[in-house]
Amino acid sequence: MAVRRFWVLLLLPSLLFLVLFFYYPITLILLDGLSWSALSSVLANPYYHHVILFTIEQAIGSTVLTLLLGLPGAYLFAKYDFPGKRFLRALLTVPFVMPSIMVALGFILLFGRSGFITSLLGRDLGVLYSWKAILLAHAFYNFPVVVRMVSSLWARINPHYEEAAESLGARGFTLFRKVTLPMLYPAIFASSMLTFIFSFLSFAIPLILGGYRYGTVEVAIFTSIMTLLDFRTGAALAVLQMGLSFTFMYLYLKSLDAYSKAEEQRVLQRPRKLGLSDFRGLRGAGIVLYSLIVFLFILAPLLAVFYDSLTSSGHFTLKWYRHLFESSYNPIFGSDSLHAVIWTFVFGFSTVLLATLIALTMSYASRRWDLPGKTLIDVLATLPLGSSAIIIGLGYIKAFHKPPLLLLGSPLLIIAAHTTIAYPFALRAVSAALKKVRPSLREAAMSLGASDPLAFIKVELPLAFGGIVVGAVFSFAMSVAELGATYMIYQPRYTTVTIAIYRYLGSRQFGPASAMAVVLMLVSMAGFLVIERTGEEVW
């Protein structure tokens, strides 16, 4: 009884945080948007019919394209070992935690009228400001999800199954289709659902690369609130979006259970060395062709941003980086570059602290909860993953714009928004690490006189330290990359690097935007190199 009282008291602050900064704002949106008049006006509007349909279509197209790009990469990382493999995995993961605004910047620098690829080919491919740009950018953004999830499971497939099938005559594609592919279904479906959700809730990429014709529900909500000041229509659209995204989120959580169980296999194949013989014949041609495709669509945008940060009018320069440390007022974003960098790191480290504490208490309670309702608690705790940053920003505007909860414009509200967005990822990482700790170890500690909380702190936490590091790194990366909610609730003096990049893009100043993006890129890269050292998975 004392133990249960302890973890209830431990869990209470986390539950209060979620109620205040997620469920209360979401409830206010539901109260406004669930009115029949608001919903009927949206559903009767042909423009919103087009927006909703296109949002679903582009999410499906983005998911298919991401799978086509990611599955061969998952095979290479699961089956082969080669120099620089950890570094490459970390580098290929960077796009996922880059600000989506930086993704748009990379594609503008590549496919714009004066972009690198446009200049190289001598003609405009018509990629920008079209559905093609949205699909390519989403594939760039979500490529790491498929590669990491599928390769993690692929490396754990028991080789005896394939050997038995080969002894019965199965070879090549038949072996893959009949034996390997069915065992990969949990990872493929889970990564597909996660990619679909991220593409469905995407904001900055459709806003910048799609234009008015290719707007999504997320862009329509933002436009209704921030441009047209039509909160009623924005709330109705938010309700429709939440209904769809929570449905997709439920399917993802169901698929994640199957993926987690499959990933728990103790068998871990030893990848073979990638040698010169592997580059001969059709296999070698496929590896080379795939590498070129990955370079063009995954690494080239990152390199384009890095190159642009070091040039001005075609000449090498470091002036864009010197601007990062200037304390002079910049009218473009209403603050100065130095404070934008400082506030970005303040929000990032604050998010790490809160998100990690919430993830730890939630994970601890989930492992100890032995009463009916555990599944419901787990689902409710994960719901923020299915809510977009724009919806959270709208909820905060409605919830915290007047006393006694007058927090709008406060840096504390930005930290709360970032924590709400980031903590589901920390929860996933911490929970996965704790599940790998054998219950018998805790029971042994308790048999020697340790209390349950002490056994958790002394035995389970040290063994799950890798997962805690992964959750912390991911929370920081999600914080520094966040744009939608921050843009809706911030004041200029609390400008972050991501908002500054957005402002620079709006004024067509790509040089300083690229320099800021490179800083975030390097920070994210360092974080994911740490993750590679832990050996833990993010998803």
Side-chain angles (χ1 to χ4, degrees), residues 25-26 28-35 37-39 41-42 48 220-240 242 390-401 408 487-489:
I26 292 298
L28 293 181
I29 295 176
L30 291 175
L31 291 176
D32 274 1
L34 277 175
S35 68
S37 59
L39 286 173
S41 65
V42 168
Y48 292 124
I221 296 171
F222 178 82
T223 304
S224 297
I225 297 161
M226 303 300 291
T227 305
L228 304 177
L229 301 180
D230 186 353
F231 283 81
R232 181 171 171 270
T233 299
L237 285 168
V239 167
L240 292 173
M242 281 190 290
I390 294 297
I391 288 179
I392 290 174
L394 170 60
Y396 282 13
I397 291 174
K398 297 184 70 64
F400 303 112
H401 73 286
L408 202 59
Y487 187 84
M488 296 180 74
I489 62 177

Side-chain angles (χ1 to χ4, degrees), residues 208-219:
I208 297 172
L209 298 181
Y212 177 80
R213 184 179 177 186
Y214 298 102
T216 59
V217 176
E218 191 84 340
V219 175

Side-chain angles (χ1 to χ4, degrees), residues 268-284:
L268 190 61
Q269 295 183 27
R270 178 174 294 180
R272 65 187 182 89
K273 293 284 185 180
L274 185 64
L276 291 176
S277 60
D278 293 301
F279 288 92
R280 297 170 184 164
L282 289 177
R283 176 180 294 181

